[in-house]
Amino acid sequence: MTSEITEKDKVIQDGSNAEGTVVKDADTSESKASPGTLTETGRSTGTTGRGLSRLLPSWMRRSKHSSKPETVPLTKEQPGSTEDVAEDAVLLKTDGPDDVSAGEKAEKEKCARVDLPGAAPVKSKVEEPPTMGGEGSEQDSKDTEKTASHSSETRIQKRGSWREYKLWGRKTKEKDKEKNEDKEETTEEKPALEAKMDVQEVGKEEKRAQGLDLRKLIDDDLIEIIDDVSDSEEKPGEQERDEDKGIKDQVNPTGEKEASEHAKEETEQPAEKEQAGDATSGQGVEAREPTPAETPKGKQDEGSTAEQKKEGKEKQMPGRVARSVSRRSRHVSCKVALLDGTSFECLLEKNACGQALFDLVCQHVNILEKDYFGLLHKDEAGHKNWLDPAKEVKKQLLNPPWLFSFNVKFYPLDPAQLTENLTRYLLCLQLRDDVTRGRLPCSFVTLALLASYTLQAELGDWSPQEFEGNYATAFRLAPNQTHELEERAMELHRTHRGQKPAEADFHFLENAKKLSMYGVDLHHAKDSEGTDIMLGVCANGLLVYRDRLRINRFAWPKILKISYRRSHFYIKIRPGEFEHVESTIGFKLPSHRAAKRLWKVCVEHHTFFRMVEPEKIPRGRLLSLGSRFRFSGRTQAQTREASARIDRPAPLVRRASARVQPSMAGSTVRTYTAMSSDGGAATASRAFNTARAAQAPAMPTSDGEDDVFLTPPLPRRSGPGEGKATSEDQPKGVLFYTSGEQDDRAETDSSKTDSSSSDSESGAEHEPPRVQMRNIEGENIYIRHSKLMLEGLDKTDEDMARRKDSLSQLKRSFMEDTLPPRPNEWDKRLSVGSPGRPSPRISMHGSPLQSPLNFSFREAPEGAGQSGNGEAMTTEALTVTYQAPQADSEDGEPDVLMSAQTITSESVSSTTTTHITKTVKGGFSETRIQKKIVISGDSDTDHDQALVQALHEATVQHPGMAITRVVVHKETDVPASD
Amino acid sequence: MAGACFGRYTHAVVRAVPGSLQDHAIRDPASSPVDLAKAQRQHGVYVGILRQKLGLQVIEVPADDSFPDSVFVEDLAVVCGDTVLVTRPSALSRRGEVSAILPVLEELKLRIVEMKDETAMLEGGDVLFTGREFFVGLSQRTNQRGAEILADTFKDFAVSTVPGNGSLHLKSFCSMGGPDLLVIGSSEHAQKALRTMQQLTDHHYDKLTVPDDCAANCLFVRPGGKGHALVLRSAEDYPESIKAFEKLKDYTLIPTSMSELNKVNGMLTCCSILVNRKLDV
């Protein structure tokens, strides 16, 4: 496989190089270009002279010069051969003002072809389908709708029924031309090289940017067209619903009967068009038919919009909304079923696109790693379709009410790599549902194991008093839940003692991900012999099942092209080691729509997962891939990159059990703690998010996992034998020392993951050079307070990323280390003055980083004294957290950040940073003061004394506040002479 | 699930060589006659290896002359985790063998799943468990339905079918030589099956190709959960193939001869059912 890829790469590079020159030459205005040179292409690599001369397809010209369709020469008579399309694309590519990747250009061109009325006669010839026979229904629908010219109808039908998606090696160019295949839509993977170039150029030149945007728009456009076609096929009535004729004309095939002038007119009024509805479609239209004079303007427009889009969905959305608002203010109510069984309702602009809704939902769920998720809606037949974010919602659904469900769309191969516990929690919820509905089959043993983690996550530790009888019955754990299973699950539940909810989730996922059907999206189909089979789309490729047996498998790299026509789905297989000819394999799907659905899912999965390879991941390439046809989201690699940057406290995980009072009753300290920790963290995150939004860059986004800040200072009962005395347990005003920040955290930590991260953070605290390691949870303040002192504020992104990386690595290694359940490990850690820290931690921070510094953990004041002696340089950071006593423990409602301020003061030997946040939540106001005191000095300094002094001062300064947490840690330099 | 504990076993179920094997066991017509005494001796050595060198607790089911093939217990049951699928051998003469094995499996407290479907056929020799997934060879002894039942029994794992090996068991030319190490013969059909398996799997397996198909059937065990031990055919049986095995690093190779039982298609793995009943989480 590797060798194949490299070969391909070579080809690509060659191709792109060759093209690069062409592009430069051709980088002139479109209007100048002769028809021959106008074409651009996706398969830049494959460009051949023959293709150029031959192709110059009418549609291309049309697209660029829509005003004079009559000048378009007839293309080959050969019915829409794929080759033609591909080559056209190539031509376009070279010629385009922007060296945008070819595939998308090609798509653009196709779009143009579709929509341009003038092209119809030519079109019909080109696409004259030999296999037209079966499409009567489509024709019928079209006929009834509008009196489109026959030729245009034919063309459209064809388009609608036949899609292709080429899977080239990551950056491959397809060498072998496909001959004599009549397909109209071809998507190709852009060569990586080109992609990269594109992105860079976007940054540099506006022209380039425009090109990129254009490409995106085109993608969107194409999507729309396709959908419209299919809509027209299957939902004839739908079109009448939309009165926005302008759009219809543009996007809908039925509009083609309109004179070509119409198209021109529209080009001249781009603004109007945009308003008319979907901005994307409007832009797409512009892109397609700019008159020479207007081209620059139109492009500019598009460019900016697309840029917005690229920059972020949030940005994109407002623009869109604003536009549509100006035109019509009708709203539609949407209801989205969430994974936790609740539902989310909102009013959505009638013209809003899927992304807008999705963003709303994600905001509601408070999830940042949202690329793994999507919205499902059921069509009339009860089939579930993913809502296309790039398309208007209304075009994908029938009449209101709009009902959706929020689901995992791409199951991450390694859930441990997800950044946030919340994401993992949602994935768990999805998988629990998959399991109970039988979509994810698993054996009895696994069922019981998964169920036990569910119990642990939802109920906390098992205890004899609290859990009596068959408490597992309350949960839906398996498709056919038996008493035996419940028994077994409860039995296993006892063994998970000590696991925080997030840990339990983690273990759940670690087991679930190994299941063979994890993340496999099954589709009914028949093979060429009519045997019933299932096609499973997954991260790695396409699986073929007969009954439950896997009978074939096509990894993505093996597939050159996927396409569908009518109800058939085809994959073209790359010639392999043993088969020297590429072959096409066809499957029969129950319906055209099913074929399309499968095709879409394939395109999306391929795009999302395929680009993840450890050795590369230049950003540019991924970015451009992310904008690929059909899949407007980010790829997994991008998502990971993005989530590595997530810099917020862990968001609230509102577990179902939080609603279950018995487990919350607090009879088990641990359970209670865990719960509130989740909740508290969430509140914290909210507050901090707000703060951040309010431009408080120096804001100490306190460790998100750390519920301490917001947890109520309610007295908590320590469980017998738990041996943990936490700051929360302390009466107000009494300082409580722990042996390190992580101790504090671990206690309330909701997961090992978290603890590992916090561990690593604290490690960083101990050693200035390790500052890079912290940052996972956004504890900027600690960074500033390590020896580099207050310097860390303006870290570059690169820096951040690097730290992120090392952190997540540590995180991972830590988790591996600690995977085997150690029931009382947490208890041990939590106990104050516990003699040893978990060894994984130490090795993590000590050995891998090879820091020259020697650090020791200090436990309580005495410890500090000892370790402070004999060392040349000592830095101590002290964190004191106060909490106003009236803070509310119920965190059900979002809190509002009233104010946040950070004060830094320095003296000779110490630096004090005070951070004060005031939040209002649930009718209570809460003031939190976080003080970081860094005491630095050599061994002469009496650190203990300084510490005591500082604490005393802090107490005096804030009477009436309860100290919720004190973290002491210490960094030491080994004397050089030693 | 399996990766780390693959090859860890605590028990082995074996059955002595019956006297009737010499004359009545299923075999290729062309094969030379079996020297019963030698076969029993070799089997004895084999059991000794299981017991002493591999540290397994061996449960020996007494021989029964009414079942000439009963020494090949592997065909009767597929064990994975704490579940055992009791199979339905294709040969009518073998169907009764299960009854003697069942009580032993029950004693081991395995979850027993019996194959009740009359149309299903499955023999353990056609089932290759890699630690991550199952491959089932479809042969004259194992059919699609049998494989389906296997898939239903072990739902956690992907079950892929490897078509067409004629009368041969899948494992008569391949086996697992370690975690993610596939030992494969070099005959054409073995290589073809290998390609099929490579095509079907999501995982990557290292492969060790040995000159003789029969030598590719070896028994991988991690005695006591550590170290790698491989019971393989001795140099006396397959002098060339053992050289290939010697390339393996950090393996304890335990050569033994199985030449007599080989005449009735007996292999190393055929003669035992390995069970791991110490549930290590």
Side-chain angles (χ1 to χ4, degrees):
Chain A
M1 197 50 53
T2 5
S3 64
E4 265 181 82
I5 288 171
T6 34
E7 272 181 19
K8 287 288 179 188
D9 290 355
K10 258 186 221 157
V11 174
I12 290 166
Q13 288 188 351
D14 296 345
S16 52
N17 287 342
E19 248 190 58
T21 60
V22 179
V23 170
K24 274 170 196 162
D25 296 342
D27 195 4
T28 58
S29 80
E30 295 174 3
S31 55
K32 263 201 215 167
S34 71
T37 55
L38 271 179
T39 35
E40 64 184 27
T41 223
R43 298 193 193 185
S44 47
T45 52
T47 315
T48 60
R50 176 178 74 138
L52 285 170
S53 59
R54 179 144 76 93
L55 284 183
L56 283 188
S58 53
W59 50 272
M60 300 239 25
R61 266 174 253 145
R62 257 179 282 139
S63 66
K64 306 271 177 180
H65 309 281
S66 59
S67 54
K68 13 180 178 176
E70 64 282 359
T71 61
V72 173
L74 290 182
T75 45
K76 287 205 156 197
E77 294 284 335
Q78 189 185 21
S81 81
T82 342
E83 210 178 337
D84 287 354
V85 173
E87 287 175 1
D88 287 348
V90 172
L91 290 178
L92 279 175
K93 167 81 184 166
T94 52
D95 228 6
D98 30 37
D99 42 1
V100 173
S101 83
E104 300 188 18
K105 290 263 175 162
E107 289 164 17
K108 164 168 74 183
E109 295 304 336
K110 282 163 217 152
C111 297
R113 170 164 54 164
V114 174
D115 292 336
L116 285 179
V122 176
K123 247 5 186 168
S124 65
K125 262 189 193 168
V126 173
E127 301 173 1
E128 193 268 310
T131 54
M132 249 2 236
E135 308 196 353
S137 62
E138 293 173 11
Q139 272 184 349
D140 289 349
S141 65
K142 297 245 165 80
D143 289 346
T144 56
E145 282 167 15
K146 308 211 176 173
T147 57
S149 72
H150 173 71
S151 58
S152 65
E153 276 178 20
T154 316
R155 171 161 55 106
I156 290 156
Q157 288 159 5
K158 198 98 215 256
R159 183 177 316 113
S161 56
W162 178 261
R163 301 287 177 272
E164 247 181 45
Y165 176 72
K166 293 230 169 114
L167 307 173
W168 292 6
R170 172 153 318 181
K171 357 154 179 197
T172 69
K173 145 67 186 192
E174 194 175 337
K175 283 185 203 167
D176 21 63
K177 314 254 169 191
E178 313 98 18
K179 309 240 170 182
N180 301 328
E181 289 188 42
D182 43 356
K183 6 196 134 151
E184 307 187 4
E185 307 290 346
T186 306
T187 313
E188 293 150 345
E189 258 182 47
K190 291 164 293 193
L193 247 173
E194 288 183 4
K196 201 174 175 183
M197 265 166 48
D198 288 347
V199 173
Q200 289 166 350
E201 282 161 11
V202 167
K204 288 175 192 168
E205 303 178 22
E206 195 167 295
K207 216 194 217 168
R208 302 284 184 204
Q210 288 166 14
L212 187 68
D213 299 337
L214 190 62
R215 185 182 59 190
K216 286 196 173 188
L217 293 176
I218 285 154
D219 285 350
D220 293 343
D221 218 13
L222 181 57
I223 290 166
E224 285 216 341
I225 287 159
I226 288 169
D227 277 356
D228 283 346
V229 172
S230 53
D231 286 348
S232 67
E233 287 163 7
E234 298 178 26
K235 301 190 251 174
E238 194 188 32
Q239 290 170 0
E240 278 104 27
R241 268 187 319 171
D242 195 344
E243 290 141 28
D244 199 343
K245 204 184 171 201
I247 292 179
K248 268 307 164 198
D249 290 346
Q250 295 299 331
V251 176
N252 226 317
T254 56
E256 289 194 357
K257 67 168 182 182
E258 308 271 348
S260 60
E261 300 97 298
H262 183 80
K264 275 184 239 165
E265 282 170 22
E266 288 188 355
T267 348
E268 288 160 12
Q269 307 161 351
E272 240 187 57
K273 214 177 285 167
E274 282 181 11
Q275 285 178 356
D278 184 354
T280 313
S281 73
Q283 291 160 359
V285 171
E286 286 175 6
R288 278 181 248 134
E289 340 170 10
T291 60
E294 285 169 359
T295 303
K297 184 183 158 201
K299 288 218 165 180
Q300 184 83 24
D301 213 349
E302 292 158 12
S304 59
T305 319
E307 259 177 304
Q308 281 178 1
K309 208 195 244 172
K310 188 184 165 194
E311 279 178 25
K313 287 156 188 169
E314 295 89 349
K315 282 185 189 168
Q316 172 190 358
M317 215 187 85
R320 212 165 271 247
V321 170
R323 246 180 253 129
S324 23
V325 166
S326 69
R327 178 82 173 237
R328 56 173 77 171
S329 56
R330 272 179 289 167
H331 289 71
V332 181
S333 80
C334 298
K335 192 170 179 185
V336 182
L338 302 178
L339 286 166
D340 61 0
T342 61
S343 66
F344 167 70
E345 290 181 57
C346 66
L347 284 180
L348 194 70
E349 299 285 341
K350 191 163 190 252
N351 287 330
C353 58
Q355 186 68 49
L357 177 60
F358 183 64
D359 287 342
L360 281 177
V361 176
C362 288
Q363 203 181 343
H364 174 77
V365 180
N366 194 20
I367 188 157
L368 289 185
E369 295 174 287
K370 55 189 176 185
D371 302 279
Y372 299 96
F373 300 86
L375 294 176
L376 269 179
H377 64 87
K378 265 190 187 171
D379 62 17
E380 319 84 86
H383 297 296
K384 290 192 166 179
N385 295 284
W386 291 106
L387 184 70
D388 190 331
K391 275 181 56 181
E392 286 183 41
V393 176
K394 69 176 179 201
K395 299 210 164 156
Q396 306 178 55
L397 302 174
L398 283 176
N399 295 316
W402 288 352
L403 301 174
F404 303 90
S405 59
F406 179 76
N407 289 97
V408 174
K409 187 174 191 181
F410 304 111
Y411 290 75
L413 285 177
D414 185 4
Q417 286 194 32
L418 295 174
T419 298
E420 297 200 303
N421 287 331
L422 175 61
T423 317
R424 266 188 286 274
Y425 172 64
L426 292 175
L427 181 56
C428 274
L429 289 178
Q430 175 73 63
L431 287 167
R432 284 180 201 167
D433 189 57
D434 289 347
V435 167
T436 52
R437 288 174 193 275
R439 281 191 298 263
L440 182 60
C442 41
S443 64
F444 177 86
V445 182
T446 308
L447 271 179
L449 186 63
L450 294 180
S452 68
Y453 285 121
T454 300
L455 294 176
Q456 177 71 23
E458 299 296 338
L459 300 177
D461 285 352
W462 181 87
S463 74
Q465 309 91 330
E466 220 188 321
F467 298 104
E468 286 171 356
N470 190 351
Y471 58 93
T473 321
F475 291 84
R476 208 161 161 238
L477 302 168
N480 303 308
Q481 195 161 325
T482 60
H483 185 67
E484 187 190 5
L485 180 84
E486 287 164 3
E487 287 291 325
R488 180 85 181 116
M490 290 187 289
E491 212 171 282
L492 288 168
H493 177 203
R494 300 180 196 193
T495 67
H496 302 327
R497 194 174 162 71
Q499 285 177 13
K500 303 286 179 264
E503 270 178 88
D505 283 349
F506 176 82
H507 291 296
F508 180 97
L509 293 176
E510 285 304 295
N511 284 285
K513 75 172 187 191
K514 293 179 194 156
L515 296 169
S516 73
M517 298 305 282
Y518 172 83
V520 178
D521 186 15
L522 286 177
H523 298 254
H524 285 281
K526 287 185 194 305
D527 66 9
S528 53
E529 290 158 8
T531 314
D532 279 322
I533 56 167
M534 299 287 270
L535 292 175
V537 185
C538 68
N540 294 323
L542 192 62
L543 303 166
V544 187
Y545 294 91
R546 186 174 152 197
D547 295 303
R548 291 213 51 242
L549 302 173
R550 188 186 287 183
I551 56 174
N552 214 338
R553 173 179 174 273
F554 304 100
W556 292 127
K558 283 228 150 199
I559 303 178
L560 275 176
K561 186 166 65 186
I562 56 184
S563 56
Y564 74 98
R565 180 167 52 180
R566 284 176 287 164
S567 60
H568 288 272
F569 174 78
Y570 301 93
I571 53 178
K572 180 180 271 189
I573 307 299
R574 183 191 299 278
E577 203 180 334
F578 301 102
E579 314 84 37
H580 298 287
V581 200
E582 65 184 35
S583 52
T584 298
I585 301 175
F587 301 96
K588 172 103 170 71
L589 277 287
S591 68
H592 163 79
R593 227 172 157 66
K596 179 181 157 191
R597 196 163 44 235
L598 171 60
W599 176 82
K600 269 175 100 168
V601 170
C602 282
V603 170
E604 289 170 338
H605 273 74
H606 170 259
T607 309
F608 188 80
F609 287 109
R610 169 90 193 285
M611 300 312 148
V612 186
E613 281 225 350
E615 74 262 25
K616 52 178 184 201
I617 302 190
R619 225 182 138 214
R621 176 189 308 165
L622 291 164
L623 263 182
S624 54
L625 284 168
S627 68
R628 288 205 37 62
F629 170 67
R630 269 291 157 184
F631 181 60
S632 52
R634 294 190 284 207
T635 64
Q636 176 172 253
Q638 287 174 297
T639 297
R640 282 184 184 166
E641 197 177 322
S643 52
R645 295 217 169 93
I646 290 180
D647 188 23
R648 67 168 181 182
L652 165 65
V653 180
R654 284 169 214 263
R655 287 170 193 280
S657 58
R659 302 188 287 262
V660 179
Q661 279 318 301
S663 65
M664 287 287 287
S667 62
T668 39
V669 171
R670 183 172 289 284
T671 304
Y672 186 80
T673 308
M675 298 301 174
S676 58
S677 86
D678 269 23
T683 337
S685 80
R686 216 163 280 232
F688 284 122
N689 283 342
T690 322
R692 200 179 300 152
Q695 299 296 321
M699 181 96 179
T701 49
S702 80
D703 31 324
E705 314 294 344
D706 208 337
D707 42 327
V708 179
F709 290 137
L710 285 171
T711 31
L714 298 176
R716 290 193 188 163
R717 288 203 290 121
S718 283
E722 293 242 69
K724 60 174 176 180
T726 73
S727 49
E728 293 110 309
D729 293 332
Q730 302 309 306
K732 157 181 167 182
V734 175
L735 289 182
F736 185 76
Y737 293 82
T738 59
S739 63
E741 177 189 28
Q742 60 279 18
D743 273 0
D744 231 352
R745 287 192 201 170
E747 158 195 23
T748 44
D749 231 349
S750 45
S751 80
K752 258 177 201 167
T753 317
D754 305 340
S755 73
S756 70
S757 64
S758 51
D759 276 351
S760 46
E761 283 158 18
S762 46
E765 288 163 45
H766 290 271
E767 293 179 73
R770 291 182 196 154
V771 161
Q772 56 181 28
M773 293 168 30
R774 71 190 7 267
N775 189 24
I776 254 196
E777 308 297 348
E779 285 180 284
N780 299 332
I781 234 183
Y782 289 145
I783 292 169
R784 292 198 302 277
H785 274 268
S786 34
K787 214 167 269 175
L788 308 174
M789 241 162 291
L790 299 177
E791 135 282 347
L793 273 182
D794 42 350
K795 296 160 302 227
T796 66
D797 277 0
E798 267 177 38
D799 251 344
M800 304 273 285
R802 216 185 47 226
R803 291 168 186 169
K804 246 354 154 169
D805 284 349
S806 60
L807 258 184
S808 37
Q809 237 169 7
L810 286 170
K811 204 171 173 181
R812 248 172 275 135
S813 65
F814 179 75
M815 284 192 299
E816 274 159 25
D817 281 349
T818 55
L819 265 182
R822 292 161 305 165
N824 283 318
E825 182 64 45
W826 289 101
D827 292 353
K828 274 187 248 151
R829 276 195 216 192
L830 298 180
S831 57
V832 171
S834 70
R837 326 229 80 249
S839 55
R841 214 193 138 268
I842 289 186
S843 65
M844 248 168 70
H845 302 304
S847 44
L849 292 170
Q850 309 225 333
S851 158
L853 297 179
N854 171 23
F855 62 94
S856 58
F857 296 95
R858 161 185 290 208
E859 319 174 351
E862 335 58 82
Q866 292 160 4
S867 52
N869 293 333
E871 282 158 358
M873 169 73 179
T874 306
T875 303
E876 292 187 19
L878 165 65
T879 310
V880 184
T881 306
Y882 299 87
Q883 194 153 28
Q886 74 269 23
D888 180 12
S889 68
E890 303 306 322
D891 59 285
E893 328 163 30
D895 46 351
V896 182
L897 181 75
M898 300 299 286
S899 68
Q901 59 182 137
T902 303
I903 305 158
T904 304
S905 65
E906 291 182 59
S907 68
V908 181
S909 64
S910 69
T911 304
T912 305
T913 303
T914 308
H915 179 75
I916 305 173
T917 45
K918 290 186 177 153
T919 54
V920 173
K921 108 188 134 163
F924 293 90
S925 79
E926 172 188 275
T927 305
R928 183 172 55 229
I929 301 176
Q930 189 177 3
K931 269 185 183 282
K932 305 255 175 168
I933 303 164
V934 176
I935 304 164
S936 51
D938 54 24
S939 52
D940 297 336
T941 315
D942 186 341
H943 293 280
D944 294 331
Q945 193 54 48
L947 191 62
V948 170
Q949 180 70 25
L951 289 171
H952 178 69
E953 275 173 19
T955 323
V956 170
Q957 276 171 14
H958 307 283
M961 301 287 285
I963 294 178
T964 57
R965 198 177 65 149
V966 178
V967 177
V968 179
H969 89 256
K970 182 174 165 213
E971 292 158 352
T972 4
D973 251 342
V974 183
S977 55
D978 289 357
Chain B
M1 236 157 270
C5 46
F6 183 71
R8 295 171 73 166
Y9 303 107
T10 53
H11 294 77
V13 180
V14 299
R15 196 166 190 186
V17 182
S20 56
L21 177 130
Q22 192 171 15
D23 300 319
H24 301 288
I26 302 164
R27 72 178 81 182
D28 289 340
S31 63
S32 49
V34 175
D35 177 343
L36 180 64
K38 194 175 175 192
Q40 281 168 335
R41 217 164 40 239
Q42 286 175 349
H43 187 263
V45 171
Y46 174 85
V47 173
I49 288 171
L50 295 181
R51 187 175 282 134
Q52 266 119 41
K53 300 214 173 161
L54 302 182
L56 301 175
Q57 217 170 318
V58 177
I59 302 166
E60 211 164 345
V61 180
D64 185 340
D65 278 351
S66 52
F67 299 112
D69 292 295
S70 58
V71 62
F72 304 127
V73 288
E74 180 196 42
D75 290 333
L76 305 177
V78 179
V79 182
C80 180
D82 66 349
T83 305
V84 56
L85 174 66
V86 179
T87 64
R88 212 167 159 275
S90 59
L92 290 175
S93 63
R94 301 200 62 184
R95 298 262 164 92
E97 293 177 20
V98 172
S99 57
I101 298 292
L102 264 179
V104 178
L105 298 175
E106 274 164 11
E107 209 170 290
L108 286 168
K109 299 207 164 40
L110 292 164
R111 292 173 52 83
I112 297 178
V113 180
E114 286 188 74
M115 206 175 251
K116 298 242 169 67
D117 192 320
E118 292 294 314
T119 62
M121 292 193 309
L122 181 76
E123 292 190 5
D126 273 320
V127 179
L128 176 68
F129 179 62
T130 68
R132 300 175 182 276
E133 62 190 315
F134 285 97
F135 291 104
V136 179
L138 298 183
S139 65
Q140 289 172 7
R141 306 180 184 197
T142 297
N143 62 11
Q144 174 91 13
R145 184 72 193 122
E148 277 168 29
I149 293 174
L150 180 85
D152 281 335
T153 308
F154 303 108
K155 287 185 182 147
D156 292 354
F157 299 98
V159 178
S160 306
T161 53
V162 183
N165 301 302
S167 63
L168 287 171
H169 275 154
L170 177 66
K171 274 200 275 192
S172 60
F173 52 78
C174 66
S175 65
M176 294 308 288
D180 298 340
L181 174 65
L182 195 59
V183 184
I184 186 87
S186 43
S187 71
E188 197 178 315
H189 64 263
Q191 290 299 313
K192 188 169 164 238
L194 174 68
R195 287 197 294 275
T196 309
M197 289 191 275
Q198 283 172 337
Q199 157 97 17
L200 284 164
T201 185
D202 293 325
H203 305 287
H204 174 77
Y205 297 105
D206 296 324
K207 65 170 182 183
L208 175 68
T209 308
V210 297
D212 305 287
D213 274 6
C214 290
N217 181 292
C218 52
L219 197 61
F220 172 76
V221 175
R222 306 181 67 186
K226 35 188 191 291
H228 291 179
L230 200 60
V231 183
L232 69 166
R233 302 294 289 272
S234 64
E236 173 192 333
D237 286 2
Y238 294 106
E240 292 304 314
S241 293
I242 200 166
K243 288 178 192 158
F245 282 110
E246 278 161 2
K247 289 182 212 149
L248 293 173
K249 297 223 165 59
D250 302 326
Y251 268 72
T252 309
L253 299 182
I254 309 172
T256 185
S257 179
M258 195 58 100
S259 56
E260 292 308 310
L261 288 178
N262 206 168
K263 292 173 184 169
V264 285
N265 298 332
M267 303 277 168
L268 284 171
T269 60
C270 291
C271 300
S272 59
I273 300 170
L274 300 182
V275 179
N276 184 13
R277 279 314 286 152
K278 201 185 338 175
L279 283 181
D280 39 8
V281 182

